[in-house]
Amino acid sequence: MQKTTAHLVHDLPQHAPMTQFPVHHGELVVGGERLATLAARVGQTPFYAYDRALLRQRVADLRQALPQEIKLHYAMKANPMPALVGLMAGWVDGIDVASAGELKVALDAGANPHAISFAGPGKRDAELRQAVASRVLVNVESFREVGILAKASQALGLPARVAVRINPDFELKRSGMKMGGGPKPFGVDAEQVPALLSEIGQAGLNFEGFHIYPGSQNLNPDALCEALQQSFDLALRLAPHAPSLMRILNLGGGFGVPYFPGDKRLDITPVADVLNSIVQRALVEWPQLVLVLELGRYLVAEAGVYVARVIDCKHSRHQFYVVTDGGMHHHLAASGNFGQVVRKNYPVAIGNKMDAACTHVTTVVGPSCTPLDVIADRMKLAEAQVGDLVVVFQSGAYGASASPQGFLGHPACLEVLV
Ligand SMILES: *Cc1c(COP(=O)(O)O)cnc(C)c1O
């Protein structure tokens, strides 16, 4: 009987190991700095810290793994902190923006306008005009946008640079978030693309290529490979309808990171193999074609932590609660309220007790007066006390900018690059 229980406990899904940050005398080290010192440097909790060396390493590793012909873009909605975008702009081949606000940050960061692309299902007239004036590539997502872009081009004396965002006729299987296939507000259905291309030609816009983004947060290499192959085939099928040669093909991305128990790090090797075969085909059939991947969380999520301080500990009917000064208002995703269907725990640790045994079943909550404000639900952690630092790993993407900071009037968090 005992043996069976032990076996079951052993088989419980675990978080992928968070070995990207070293531990020194029981304390987590982020950006070469011990956590307590880092908190003192920041001057307050809660805060997000992003590790420059890890960001750089991720880009370098990915470049090493992928064919060199593939251009790497950073989708900055994952983390729009201006200093971080500035760093990334120096390391990747382009920045993908999803609003005029993001466009400003990318331009301020020194990103080359020629390698900025602008996607989004609801681009306002003024935003489209800003994109034309900035000379960035607009991923056209509706028939309406063609007319607005033509007017802006005429008024500014600048030809609008456009790609067509295709809503594909397939899905990215086993994806955390599906953004293509079936009815979608993103892009234009593949069957309507020939008509859109003809309007783009008549309007005299500068057609440069296609953009296909089937989904996000995928950890399954087979599903990613299939979608990449299908995206490439779809673009080749539609290219003959274009008013000019296809020169850019943005194949999306959707590479995921392990957040939850049981998630395994994505094996990039099969994905690289498929990309390699796509590159080889393109070299023969479309020698002028530039192939692009646009990645958000895969580039930045694992380099970031969220750090909050324990302000109270209490027991309620056999459950141990640790209350921190941070929570869902800064880190909506870790609370389970940013797109998750079933709430699961992010990897969490007591950052100043990394060597202590994780024996205490602990529920970590934030300060907000709502049952939604949960950072860790009955997780085994080191025994926490008031003053300790709770760390949420995998927090470099969809953190501060994706959270309702005004909710309940608690102080905002800070973000630092270390
Ligand atoms: C959100 C988004 C991305 C980035 O997604 P990640 O899952 O962070 O990689 C890239 N491209 C488009 C079009 C997006 O909407």
Side-chain angles (χ1 to χ4, degrees):
M1 210 45 218
Q2 271 220 323
K3 207 171 178 185
T4 318
T5 314
H7 179 73
L8 281 177
V9 168
H10 183 73
D11 277 358
L12 282 179
Q14 303 285 314
H15 282 110
M18 294 294 119
T19 49
Q20 63 269 50
F21 299 99
V23 170
H24 183 71
H25 292 308
E27 205 174 339
L28 200 71
V29 174
V30 179
E33 196 63 87
R34 289 166 44 227
L35 198 61
T37 315
L38 179 58
R41 175 201 135 177
V42 176
Q44 69 158 64
T45 51
F47 62 90
Y48 282 91
Y50 314 119
D51 188 316
R52 285 186 176 89
L54 289 177
L55 291 166
R56 173 156 216 163
Q57 192 62 46
R58 178 52 70 102
V59 175
D61 289 349
L62 190 59
R63 281 205 192 278
Q64 186 70 36
L66 298 181
Q68 61 179 28
E69 289 85 354
I70 298 285
K71 301 286 180 206
L72 270 190
H73 281 204
Y74 173 51
M76 64 170 277
K77 88 169 189 271
N79 189 329
M81 180 203 194
L84 181 144
V85 176
L87 273 187
M88 299 299 285
W91 299 334
V92 297
D93 304 305
I95 304 282
D96 292 321
V97 304
S99 68
E102 286 193 353
L103 174 58
K104 177 186 187 301
V105 174
L107 291 170
D108 287 347
N112 174 6
H114 192 81
I116 293 177
S117 57
F118 180 11
K123 306 182 195 75
R124 284 172 281 121
D125 293 15
E127 288 181 295
L128 289 165
R129 210 159 44 239
Q130 284 173 273
V132 176
S134 309
R135 299 173 162 84
V136 303
L137 183 68
V138 177
N139 293 325
V140 171
E141 309 203 26
S142 77
F143 286 81
R144 165 195 150 261
E145 289 183 0
V146 176
I148 310 294
L149 287 166
K151 259 191 237 151
S153 293
Q154 235 155 31
L156 294 163
L158 286 171
R161 301 177 49 218
V162 301
V164 168
R165 180 170 181 180
I166 309 169
N167 175 27
D169 42 11
F170 58 85
E171 285 189 341
L172 174 51
K173 289 173 194 141
R174 307 181 62 174
S175 214
M177 234 177 249
K178 289 197 167 67
M179 294 178 66
K184 288 285 179 298
F186 312 111
V188 170
D189 294 351
E191 358 12 316
Q192 298 181 41
V193 167
L196 183 71
L197 288 167
S198 132
E199 288 203 10
I200 286 172
Q202 280 158 25
L205 308 184
N206 253 353
F207 171 83
E208 297 194 7
F210 294 106
H211 173 221
I212 303 170
Y213 193 77
S216 271
Q217 180 50 20
N218 201 303
L219 292 168
N220 186 281
D222 295 338
L224 286 168
C225 289
E226 187 182 292
L228 287 167
Q229 194 62 58
Q230 286 175 311
S231 297
F232 184 64
D233 293 342
L234 178 59
L236 293 198
R237 236 178 17 252
L238 290 169
H241 297 275
S244 55
L245 217 53
M246 163 172 77
R247 276 169 290 148
I248 297 174
L249 175 55
N250 183 332
L251 290 167
F255 299 6
V257 297
Y259 289 115
F260 306 122
D263 284 356
K264 297 203 169 55
R265 286 204 161 70
L266 174 65
D267 178 9
I268 210 79
T269 314
V271 179
D273 289 345
V274 160
L275 285 168
N276 209 31
S277 77
I278 289 174
V279 165
Q280 295 314 318
R281 262 184 77 192
L283 282 174
V284 176
E285 297 172 43
W286 293 84
Q288 75 298 324
L289 187 61
V290 173
L291 291 163
V292 177
L293 282 184
E294 55 174 354
L295 301 170
R297 75 186 79 213
Y298 187 80
L299 297 181
V300 296
E302 304 209 54
V305 288
Y306 175 65
V307 183
R309 198 177 290 280
V310 177
I311 53 178
D312 211 339
C313 296
K314 55 206 230 184
H315 290 270
S316 167
R317 308 217 164 99
H318 309 299
Q319 202 153 319
F320 178 50
Y321 284 95
V322 163
V323 188
T324 70
D325 56 4
M328 67 178 292
H329 56 306
H330 300 152
H331 203 329
L332 192 66
S335 77
N337 296 296
F338 189 64
Q340 294 96 322
V341 181
V342 180
R343 192 196 175 284
K344 293 179 190 163
N345 289 325
Y346 266 50
V348 168
I350 308 299
N352 53 309
K353 293 179 174 169
M354 296 300 289
D355 290 344
C358 291
T359 49
H360 277 66
V361 177
T362 307
T363 294
V364 182
V365 301
S368 293
C369 205
T370 157
L372 299 177
D373 197 1
V374 175
I375 293 295
D377 182 20
R378 288 162 293 171
M379 248 177 112
K380 279 190 164 176
L381 301 176
E383 183 175 11
Q385 290 168 307
V386 170
D388 283 346
L389 294 168
V390 171
V391 171
V392 183
F393 294 99
Q394 308 298 78
S395 295
Y398 305 106
S401 73
S403 301
Q405 299 228 27
F407 188 42
L408 271 146
H410 295 294
C413 64
L414 284 178
E415 295 175 273
V416 293
L417 262 181
V418 288

